[in-house]
């Protein structure tokens, strides 16, 4: 394939690996300090399989972010993240797991503003190309 594309793919993998390596080292240092000060926890919560999905989703998230950053730019990545979290929070509020909460009008206005905020640069990028 294209040598530039091959080099870019390696950059995404490297960025993802370094991100998780640094995070793992930081967590290990903090855990070591915590163990030295507080000792090993006496009781623990049982570990369910789905509790481990956060790590896998984190790897996918970092890899995807690094992979699309060069295509859509940092502004669109950040706006997409905020929009996804805002809409996701609204959907959780409306769901049975969130208590089927009817959100106040200021929440709905906030979600609408976030969606407008991502639409404006997206449209400007399409017309600029």
């Amino acid at each position: 394939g294209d040598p530039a594309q091959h080099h870019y793919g390696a950059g995404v993998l490297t960025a993802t690996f370094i991100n998780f390596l640094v995070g793992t080292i930081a967590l290990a240092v903090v855990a070591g300090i915590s163990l030295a000060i507080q000792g090993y926890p006496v009781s623990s919560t049982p570990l369910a399989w789905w509790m481990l999905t956060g790590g896998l989703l984190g790897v996918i998230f970092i890899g995807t972010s690094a992979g699309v950053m060069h295509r859509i730019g940092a502004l669109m990545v950040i706006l997409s993240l905020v929009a996804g979290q805002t809409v996701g929070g609204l959907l959780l509020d409306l769901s049975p797991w969130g208590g089927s909460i009817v959100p106040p009008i200021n929440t709905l206005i906030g979600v609408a503003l976030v969606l407008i905020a991502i639409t404006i640069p997206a449209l400007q990028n399409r017309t600029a190309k």
Side-chain angles (χ1 to χ4, degrees):
D2 181 14
Q5 188 69 5
H6 175 70
H7 176 71
Y8 179 75
V12 169
L13 291 175
T14 302
T16 303
F17 175 75
I18 290 172
N19 184 293
F20 278 90
L21 178 65
V22 171
T24 301
I25 291 169
L27 284 173
V29 168
V30 171
I33 293 169
S34 175
L35 285 172
I37 294 172
Q38 297 177 335
Y40 194 78
V42 177
S43 65
S44 65
T45 311
L47 185 64
W49 69 268
W50 55 265
M51 292 179 178
L52 301 175
T53 59
L56 176 62
L57 292 173
V59 170
I60 293 168
F61 171 79
I62 296 297
T64 302
S65 295
V68 301
M69 187 76 68
H70 81 286
R71 290 180 182 243
I72 65 173
L75 174 65
M76 288 303 296
V77 169
I78 298 301
L79 287 173
S80 298
L81 293 173
V82 171
Q85 290 172 347
T86 305
V87 171
L90 179 63
L91 292 175
L92 280 175
D93 282 348
L94 295 171
S95 76
W97 302 283
S100 299
I101 299 169
V102 176
I105 189 70
N106 59 344
T107 299
L108 297 175
I109 292 171
V111 170
L113 288 174
V114 168
L115 293 175
I116 291 169
I118 194 171
T119 302
I120 293 171
L123 291 176
Q124 287 177 343
N125 285 343
R126 287 183 91 187
T127 57
K129 289 183 179 181

